[in-house]
Amino acid sequence: MLIVEDEPALLRALQINLRARGYEVTTSTAGQQALAEAARRPPDAVLLDLGLPDLDGTMVIRELRSSSLVPIIVLSGRAGSGDKIGALDAGADDYVTKPFSMEELIARLRAALRRDASHGGQTQFTIGNCLVDLPAHTVVRKAGGEPEPVHLTRTEWRVLEILLRSAGQLVPATRLLTELWGPAAEDSTHYLRFHMARLRRKLEDDPPRPRHLLTEPGMGYRYQP
Ligand code: CA
């Protein structure tokens, strides 16, 4: 678990309480440092202060979300609900407002980890002849002969990962757009169509007649196992 907080007393209290409950904890006191740490050692959850000395916490969320679905709980010192909405739109899973009780924070953390585990259990998926391994970040095509690696762009990975984690369920286009490019992108459905078309060309056995990466017209997309 990664704690990102620039108030030394609160950081220490969080560290002590979470370690006492058996969580493995690393800490950062600034945004850039936190992103570097998360890239070096992907955490299983992030507790994130919004008011950091270098980056706005919302930017940290966006950056984390560009490559990961790790549960993020925001520690908000701000009274306005606009910041919370901004943080949730950027991809935070939950928030607590300072001052918060340690028990409440830990209950929310447990809930976030449970939600993550419930859809994170499966990590390998097949799309036709392709095998997708989410933790390894690899796609391999096995159509007779030697397995061939398939290269996906960062955006294609993000789209695919979101769809696979909701296997069998409709994922609204607005959710994909917001998670990928932020709330201002809600109208950019053509970008999504473009990336979906490329994913199908790379992964489906018969791209014009996809069997796994499905469009729900006017609604969104679905990964059909
Ligand atoms: Ca702060």
Side-chain angles (χ1 to χ4, degrees):
M1 166 150 347
L2 174 60
I3 308 175
V4 192
E5 170 61 65
D6 63 331
E7 279 172 49
L10 179 55
L11 181 60
R12 203 161 45 244
L14 287 166
Q15 209 175 347
I16 290 167
N17 274 281
L18 290 165
R19 283 202 176 130
R21 284 167 172 83
Y23 294 102
E24 198 179 307
V25 173
T26 54
T27 62
S28 289
T29 54
Q32 293 290 4
Q33 188 197 358
L35 290 172
E37 173 62 27
R40 196 172 62 79
R41 202 151 70 114
D44 53 2
V46 178
L47 300 180
L48 176 70
D49 178 27
L50 279 189
L52 294 169
D54 56 343
L55 290 180
D56 187 82
T58 308
M59 287 185 57
V60 177
I61 298 170
R62 282 196 206 296
E63 197 52 43
L64 287 170
R65 276 287 170 266
S66 70
S67 62
S68 155
L69 290 169
V70 62
I72 301 173
I73 298 179
V74 161
L75 313 174
S76 172
R78 305 168 187 185
S81 64
D83 291 312
K84 287 172 196 160
I85 293 167
L88 293 173
D89 275 345
D93 295 276
D94 203 352
Y95 63 82
V96 292
T97 305
K98 295 177 191 173
F100 50 82
S101 83
M102 209 50 83
E103 292 312 316
E104 181 187 356
L105 172 68
I106 286 162
R108 284 174 185 268
L109 176 63
R110 272 201 304 264
L113 287 169
R114 228 172 14 240
R115 279 195 298 274
D116 189 48
S118 69
H119 58 226
Q122 188 182 355
T123 56
Q124 294 197 338
F125 301 84
T126 53
I127 298 173
N129 287 316
C130 290
L131 177 68
V132 184
D133 186 322
L134 288 182
H137 257 239
T138 57
V139 183
V140 175
R141 176 184 296 282
K142 296 184 293 183
E146 284 292 293
E148 257 177 66
V150 178
H151 175 75
L152 301 184
T153 65
R154 199 162 109 136
T155 303
E156 287 163 2
W157 253 115
R158 287 287 294 130
V159 174
L160 185 63
E161 190 172 19
I162 294 168
L163 292 176
L164 296 182
R165 296 241 191 235
S166 299
Q169 295 169 28
L170 168 71
V171 179
T174 48
R175 181 182 146 208
L176 281 165
L177 289 165
T178 309
E179 286 205 23
L180 289 165
W181 296 296
E186 277 198 24
D187 295 328
S188 313
T189 48
H190 54 288
Y191 287 121
L192 209 46
R193 273 200 299 276
F194 170 79
H195 291 292
M196 284 301 296
R198 290 182 48 128
L199 274 173
R200 287 190 185 114
R201 278 205 298 278
K202 290 181 180 181
L203 304 177
E204 288 276 359
D205 292 344
D206 185 8
R209 277 171 295 279
R211 295 186 48 203
H212 302 280
L213 301 174
L214 307 180
T215 301
E216 303 276 339
M219 302 283 286
Y221 298 91
R222 180 195 307 268
Y223 162 66
Q224 190 61 50

